[in-house]
Amino acid sequence: MNRSPTFSVKSEPELKVDERSLQQWVVAFCIIRFDLERGQLIEECYPPGCLSQNEELEVAFSSFPDSVSQHHNRSSIHDCIFFFRTRRKQTSRVENVALSDIVEIDNNEASQKPTSAGVLNQRSRNFHSFNSKYLYGFVFNRQRHDERLKRGGEQNSVVILSHSPYSSVFRPLLQIMGPLYFDVGKKALNYIAAYVSTWPTPIPGQLMELPIGNAVLKVNLPPSHSLPSDNGVFFEDSASSLAPLLPSNQSVPHGLFHDSDLFGAFRGLLMQLWKLWELLLIGEPILIIAPTPPQCCEAVSGLVSLVAPLLCSIDFRPYFTIHDPEFAHLNSLPEGASFPPMILGVTNLFFLKALRNMPHIVSVGSPASNSSRFAMGSRAPIGGNPAGHEGFNLQRLSLRKLAPANFLNAVKLRRDGPLCLMTEHKEAIWTNYAAVTKPDTSILNRLVDAGMSPRVEESMSVVNNDILRRHFLELTTNFLAPFGPYFRASTPSEGSSPFADPPPLPSFNTEEFLTSLSARGPGKFLLKRMRSNWLELYRRFLKGHNFLPWFRRKRAVAEQEQYKLWRQASINTNIHQLISKMSELEIVDSFNAIERQLLGEKQYGRANADTEVVCQKLKKDLRAVFNILPKDVQQLLIMNPEKAALLEENHECSNLTERTLVSNDVISSSSPS
C-alpha cells in the first residue's frame, strides 16, 4: 500500500468505540513525543490505563530510532514505519490449555495417550483470547528537521499496540493514522479506534476486508498454525498434509510476515539465505544489525517468514534497544555461556561489543536508504545488466566472487570481525556454522534485477519475493514431510464400532525416527539440495527449540481431526445393523461406549452447532442397544443411577415425541378438508 487513502475527519459523525471489540485487534493507540529534557513521553494512550508503568516505559523507549536521520536539508520531514516486540510483565492467565497438557513428549520418546472428546471440545471452544506473553508495537515515526527549533528538530511517534503480529494490517493502517494525527491531532485516535472496533473478529488464514474511513483494507491474516500459542488461535488449524503444497495464489500466507520484503532485506546476501534458513530451523541465536529500524525489522521478519509453514517458536525482536529489560540479562551472560535462542534486530553499534560472543551476526541494509521500506534503487545492482529485466548472472557473480580482490576482501572481513562495522557499514555474515543445504542457483538465476529505477524496483521485488518464498516453502515442507505419519488421523475400519475410543496416534521416538529416516532417505527433493551429512540437520532440529512446540501442536490438531472423523462416523452409523453382528459382550461394550460419548457430548459439545441433534441420535442408539440386551443384563445396568437416568430421559423424550406425532395426526384428521 503505497498511497494513504484519504480520511476526512470533518465529514465524520461522532463515532463510539466498542472497547471489547477493539481489543480483538488493538491493545492501545499511543502518541509519544521525544522531549529534549525529559526523554520519551507518552502524551496520549487510548484506552487509558491499559498499560502498566513499566510497559509504558518500554513502549516509549522502543518507539524511536537510536539516531536521528542525517538525510535531510535545512527544513525537512522524515517518516518511517517499523515495529517491535516486547515481553508483557503482567498478563492474566491464558485461557488455552497449556502445551504440556496436550502431549507429553521429550527428545527420547513421545507416548501418545488417547485424548477424551470432552477435552478436545473444550480446547476447540478456547479460540480467542486477548492475552499474550508479548506485545507488538507498530510505529509511525516522524522526524522534523528545522534549524529554528531547539537542537534543530523534533521527533514524534504514533504507535499501535497489539497482541497479534498482524503486520499486513497495522502497516497500512499506520499509513493512514500517522499522517492523520499530524494533520488533526489527538482526535484522530478516537476516529481510528471507532472504526477498528467495528471490524469483524480476526480469522487467521483468511482474506479480510476492514473498513477505515472511506477506504477498505483488504489483508490476508497469517494462518493460525504460525501464530504463537499464547495468541488464543490454537485449535482452528485443520489437519493438512505435510507434503509440499504450492498454491498458485502466493498472496495467501503460509506463515508470519508474509508481506515482508525478503529479497530487499537480503539482496546483498542472497547466497547466504540457505545457511540462514538452517540457523533459524534449528533455533540458533542470531544478531541482525542494520543502519535503520525499518531495515532491521524487515530483515528479522523476513527471516521468520523463511521457515513457513513451520511454527517459529524462538523469541524474535524486530527492533531491540539497550533499554529493553532483557538486555541486562544478555549483557551479563558469563564468558562461554550460551545465548538463548532468539533473533535480535538492532541498529545501535554498541551491541557489537556488548554481545560480541553472539555466534551468528548478520549485517544488512544500506545507510543511504531513507524510507519505511528499503530504497532498493539506492543500491548497486548485483550481477545484472544495465537493462535490468533479466535474471541475475550467477556465472558472472561466481567469477566475481573468485576474483583475487574479492577473495582478499572476504579474508579481511572475516579477520576483522563484526567490529569493522564501527567504521563502515557492509552487508556480511559472521558465523562458523557449516550449512548442509546448498544454495539453489536455479532459483537465484530466476530473480530479476531492475537496476536503478525505484518504481520498477518495487514491482520486481514483489516478483522476487514470490520466487524466494515459494522455494523456501517447498524446502521446509519437504524437510518436515518425514514427520507426516505421526500426525495421520485414522477412521473406524469397516465393521468396527465408531463409538469406541479412537486409537492413539503413532508414538514418536527420536532414535527410532532417525534410524528409519537414515535407511529410507529424506526424499529426492532434499537429496539433490543437501550434502551427505543431511541427517545431522534433522538431529539438530530435533534438539532445537522449534521442534517440540511445532510437533505438539500438530499432534493436537491431528487428535482434533481424528475426533471429528470418529464423531461423524458414529452419527452416520446404523446402530441396528452394527449390533446385529455382535456378541452379547460386544453389545454391552457398545452400550458403555455410547454412554461415554453421550455424556461427553452433553458436557463439552456446546461448541458444535449440531450438538442437540447428535445427543438425540446417541440417546436413541443407547435405547436400541439396551432393548436388545437380555433382561438380567438390563436389570444390572439400570441399577446404576446414572445409566438409569439416561435411559429414563431417553424414554420420556421418545414418548413425548410419539405423543406429539399422534396429537398432530388427530388434529390433521379432524380438521375440515
Side-chain angles (χ1 to χ4, degrees):
M1 187 172 178
N2 297 323
R3 295 184 180 179
S4 303
T6 56
F7 186 99
S8 174
V9 174
K10 295 179 181 178
S11 63
E12 299 295 337
E14 190 67 29
L15 298 173
K16 295 183 178 179
V17 180
D18 182 342
E19 291 192 8
R20 178 68 181 175
S21 297
L22 179 67
Q23 286 181 7
Q24 295 182 114
W25 294 92
V26 170
V27 173
F29 298 102
C30 298
I31 304 300
I32 308 175
R33 177 172 62 89
F34 185 82
D35 187 274
L36 294 176
E37 297 174 353
R38 300 166 61 192
Q40 293 89 337
L41 297 176
I42 295 184
E43 292 190 325
E44 299 289 338
C45 184
Y46 185 87
C50 58
L51 299 177
S52 68
Q53 187 174 1
N54 287 336
E55 286 175 335
E56 286 186 354
L57 284 174
E58 288 181 41
V59 168
F61 279 123
S62 300
S63 298
F64 290 92
D66 277 326
S67 60
V68 177
S69 171
Q70 300 302 314
H71 305 281
H72 60 86
N73 49 37
R74 292 180 61 187
S75 179
S76 67
I77 292 176
H78 175 76
D79 294 339
C80 70
I81 292 176
F82 59 92
F83 73 104
F84 60 87
R85 183 185 197 230
T86 183
R87 195 185 300 273
R88 297 214 74 171
K89 298 299 180 294
Q90 297 175 353
T91 55
S92 55
R93 183 177 61 86
V94 179
E95 296 174 6
N96 284 48
V97 180
L99 282 174
S100 57
D101 295 334
I102 298 167
V103 179
E104 293 299 329
I105 176 176
D106 57 33
N107 279 343
N108 295 320
E109 186 174 0
S111 58
Q112 177 69 35
K113 298 179 181 179
T115 307
S116 67
V119 173
L120 287 168
N121 269 314
Q122 187 178 30
R123 292 172 184 169
S124 66
R125 288 205 309 275
N126 292 333
F127 178 67
H128 265 290
S129 165
F130 303 144
N131 301 298
S132 174
K133 290 191 299 182
Y134 293 97
L135 197 61
Y136 298 85
F138 296 84
V139 182
F140 181 98
N141 173 259
R142 171 163 290 185
Q143 298 178 1
R144 188 166 73 91
H145 305 281
D146 191 333
E147 293 180 352
R148 294 168 297 180
L149 297 174
K150 192 176 181 180
R151 294 198 185 178
E154 62 179 3
Q155 282 196 76
N156 293 275
S157 288
V158 180
V159 183
I160 301 174
L161 299 175
S162 176
H163 286 137
S164 303
Y166 295 155
S167 59
S168 60
V169 175
F170 298 120
R171 272 178 169 168
L173 182 59
L174 273 176
Q175 290 182 331
I176 298 173
M177 185 178 175
L180 181 66
Y181 166 75
F182 291 107
D183 284 344
V184 303
K186 65 180 182 181
K187 59 183 176 181
L189 274 66
N190 292 331
Y191 279 99
I192 297 294
Y195 274 105
V196 173
S197 69
T198 66
W199 289 356
T201 300
I203 305 174
Q206 297 294 315
L207 174 67
M208 305 203 72
E209 297 188 0
L210 309 173
I212 186 77
N214 56 351
V216 176
L217 304 180
K218 294 184 178 181
V219 296
N220 284 288
L221 297 187
S224 58
H225 70 251
S226 69
L227 295 171
S229 57
D230 55 274
N231 274 66
V233 286
F234 187 61
F235 280 101
E236 290 300 310
D237 273 341
S238 61
S240 58
S241 170
L242 283 176
L245 179 62
L246 301 174
S248 57
N249 184 6
Q250 284 292 294
S251 65
V252 177
H254 292 269
L256 288 182
F257 310 124
H258 184 261
D259 58 326
S260 62
D261 187 5
L262 180 63
F263 170 75
F266 294 98
R267 179 171 178 173
L269 298 171
L270 290 175
M271 293 288 286
Q272 305 295 333
L273 280 179
W274 286 264
K275 179 178 291 188
L276 292 172
W277 173 77
E278 287 188 22
L279 290 174
L280 194 62
L281 194 72
I282 62 180
E284 284 286 303
I286 303 173
L287 178 67
I288 293 181
I289 189 160
T292 66
Q295 291 178 352
C296 74
C297 287
E298 207 74 35
V300 172
S301 57
L303 265 191
V304 172
S305 73
L306 207 60
V307 294
L310 177 69
L311 169 68
C312 182
S313 297
I314 65 173
D315 190 7
F316 59 89
R317 305 301 178 93
Y319 178 54
F320 189 76
T321 72
I322 59 174
H323 302 289
D324 193 295
E326 294 189 38
F327 170 66
H329 167 68
L330 294 175
N331 195 32
S332 63
L333 288 175
E335 191 78 24
S338 298
F339 278 88
M342 62 194 318
I343 310 173
L344 295 182
V346 303
T347 60
N348 193 333
L349 295 175
F350 172 72
F351 283 103
L352 292 175
K353 295 181 178 179
L355 305 181
R356 59 186 177 277
N357 293 324
M358 184 74 86
H360 317 289
I361 298 177
V362 184
S363 171
V364 298
S366 166
S369 184
N370 195 30
S371 67
S372 62
R373 288 283 188 148
F374 291 139
M376 303 304 298
S378 65
R379 300 187 182 199
I382 301 180
N385 61 37
H389 290 273
E390 295 183 10
F392 285 103
N393 191 330
L394 259 294
Q395 185 178 4
R396 190 189 308 172
L397 182 62
S398 300
L399 292 173
R400 200 182 301 169
K401 286 180 66 178
L402 294 174
N406 278 325
F407 179 76
L408 291 175
N409 286 336
V411 171
K412 184 176 183 297
L413 199 65
R414 184 172 182 83
R415 184 193 64 204
D416 294 345
L419 287 177
C420 69
L421 298 174
M422 302 289 287
T423 55
E424 181 186 4
H425 185 83
K426 302 172 182 177
E427 293 178 292
I429 179 172
W430 289 270
T431 176
N432 291 323
Y433 179 79
V436 173
T437 312
K438 296 174 284 189
D440 195 324
T441 54
S442 64
I443 296 298
L444 294 176
N445 275 319
R446 290 171 55 197
L447 300 179
V448 178
D449 184 20
M452 301 297 289
S453 169
R455 181 174 296 181
V456 176
E457 191 80 32
E458 185 176 352
S459 62
M460 290 303 99
S461 284
V462 173
V463 174
N464 291 336
N465 283 326
D466 284 347
I467 292 171
L468 290 172
R469 200 154 269 123
R470 176 184 286 266
H471 169 73
F472 282 100
L473 173 65
E474 188 174 14
L475 188 62
T476 308
T477 49
N478 273 279
F479 181 82
L480 298 176
F483 297 96
Y486 299 99
F487 314 127
R488 195 164 292 146
S490 63
T491 56
S493 58
E494 188 175 352
S496 65
S497 172
F499 301 103
D501 290 331
L505 298 176
S507 61
F508 181 85
N509 178 280
T510 297
E511 291 307 319
E512 289 179 1
F513 170 79
L514 291 172
T515 301
S516 173
L517 185 61
S518 177
R520 70 176 186 272
K524 292 182 179 178
F525 184 88
L526 293 184
L527 279 177
K528 287 170 57 179
R529 291 165 173 82
M530 289 186 174
R531 296 179 174 88
S532 58
N533 60 335
W534 57 266
L535 192 64
E536 185 60 27
L537 182 60
Y538 276 96
R539 196 181 300 277
R540 298 190 69 164
F541 174 64
L542 291 171
K543 292 179 180 178
H545 289 75
N546 283 323
F547 171 67
L548 277 181
W550 169 79
F551 188 89
R552 287 169 172 166
R553 182 175 290 194
K554 294 297 293 184
R555 293 278 277 200
V557 170
E559 279 186 340
Q560 177 80 353
E561 189 72 13
Q562 183 165 267
Y563 159 72
K564 291 178 181 178
L565 292 172
W566 282 67
R567 181 177 183 268
Q568 189 59 46
S570 66
I571 295 172
N572 298 336
T573 294
N574 183 323
I575 192 64
H576 297 284
Q577 185 177 349
L578 179 67
I579 61 179
S580 65
K581 303 174 184 178
M582 289 183 175
S583 65
E584 182 178 312
L585 184 59
E586 289 174 328
I587 294 174
V588 173
D589 289 340
S590 293
F591 180 92
N592 293 328
I594 296 172
E595 179 194 19
R596 285 195 303 273
Q597 187 168 340
L598 177 57
L599 290 172
E601 195 73 35
K602 291 176 68 175
Q603 185 175 359
Y604 300 107
R606 299 188 188 96
N608 300 313
D610 60 347
T611 294
E612 192 62 34
V613 174
V614 172
C615 283
Q616 290 301 323
K617 202 270 183 185
L618 291 174
K619 288 175 183 177
K620 289 180 182 178
D621 289 349
L622 193 69
R623 170 59 66 172
V625 175
F626 179 81
N627 289 338
I628 206 172
L629 289 170
K631 296 296 182 184
D632 57 334
V633 178
Q634 290 181 354
Q635 290 298 322
L636 283 172
L637 290 174
I638 60 176
M639 286 176 66
N640 183 310
E642 293 181 357
K643 298 182 190 296
L646 275 178
L647 290 166
E648 187 62 28
E649 179 185 341
N650 179 47
H651 188 58
E652 289 174 1
C653 288
S654 299
N655 290 341
L656 178 61
T657 304
E658 290 173 6
R659 286 198 298 271
T660 303
L661 291 172
V662 170
S663 175
N664 289 338
D665 289 341
V666 171
I667 292 171
S668 60
S669 62
S670 60
S671 60
S673 55

